[in-house]
Amino acid sequence: MFSRVGKIVAIGRNFAEHAKELGNEVPKSPFFFLKPASSIVREPGNIEIPKGCIVHHEVELGVVIGKTGRDIPASLADSYVAGYVLALDMTARNLQDEAKKKGHPWSTAKGFDTFTAASSFVPKDALPDPHNAHLWLKVDDRVAQSGSTKDMIFKIPQLIEFVSSIMTLEEGDWILTGTPSGVGPVSAGQVLTGGLKRSESDSHNLASFTFPVVDRKGTGLFSKI
């Protein structure tokens, strides 16, 4: 379902502990950035590390929009949700830090090919309470991130209302809802494994993925600009 993704709207700092671990203020209202659909990779693909980049993992619940809407009230937001994906918002942290210092956008740090690694589609009915879901990520055999969507500062209806007050949300768009604490660097040769469960106590993964990490072949021209 939704084999073609539209835009990817990524919510920043939506988990208080994650904001604090990077030395950022906890936001008083949602803020977001955009990622290109070309950054999506699915199994059996690899996550690529561009030359000169310190790349961090950020596991997130992605909301898949099922119909087009604008100025959607929070009270109606659920009817615009088709389902979910488990996603990795990969980030070239050194490039993001430099962009922050200069007041530049984060497009380079967030937009490389393979920087949105994602699971298969999870229908909405399979996750009846998306605000009690459990996300986990392992780097090799080490649990790096483990958190609950109940800790999101801004819930999904608020996010849909906010984003759609600025831009039309279209069928097939994704909203990445933020990451719990525990983000950190990955290197070529490692393997990232993640899962999405209905709750922390559930033993069954609704969605999961495994992505090997490799070095990206390319010119690295961006690093010379």
Side-chain angles (χ1 to χ4, degrees), residues 36-153:
S38 57
S39 68
I40 294 173
V41 62
R42 298 184 190 268
E43 293 177 296
N46 300 320
I47 292 172
E48 300 175 348
I49 305 296
K51 292 180 181 179
C53 289
I54 300 170
V55 177
H56 282 202
H57 57 76
E58 300 185 12
V59 69
E60 312 203 8
L61 177 67
V63 177
V64 180
I65 299 300
K67 62 181 180 180
T68 297
R70 179 185 180 197
D71 293 319
I72 302 165
S75 60
L76 297 178
D78 186 65
S79 67
Y80 287 80
V81 176
Y84 307 94
V85 292
L86 179 67
L88 280 170
D89 172 22
M90 304 302 294
T91 304
R93 191 71 71 199
N94 56 325
L95 300 186
Q96 184 189 39
D97 289 345
E98 189 65 23
K100 287 179 181 178
K101 291 176 185 177
K102 296 179 179 179
H104 290 176
W106 299 356
S107 300
T108 301
K110 296 283 191 174
F112 285 102
D113 291 352
T114 78
F115 268 30
T116 308
S119 72
S120 57
F121 175 77
V122 177
K124 181 167 71 172
D125 292 347
L127 185 61
D129 185 0
H131 299 108
N132 192 43
H134 184 73
L135 312 173
W136 62 268
L137 181 76
K138 288 184 177 181
V139 179
D140 295 328
D141 294 325
R142 177 182 64 87
V143 176
Q145 290 186 267
S146 179
S148 174
T149 55
K150 67 184 178 184
D151 295 325
M152 289 195 300
I153 299 168

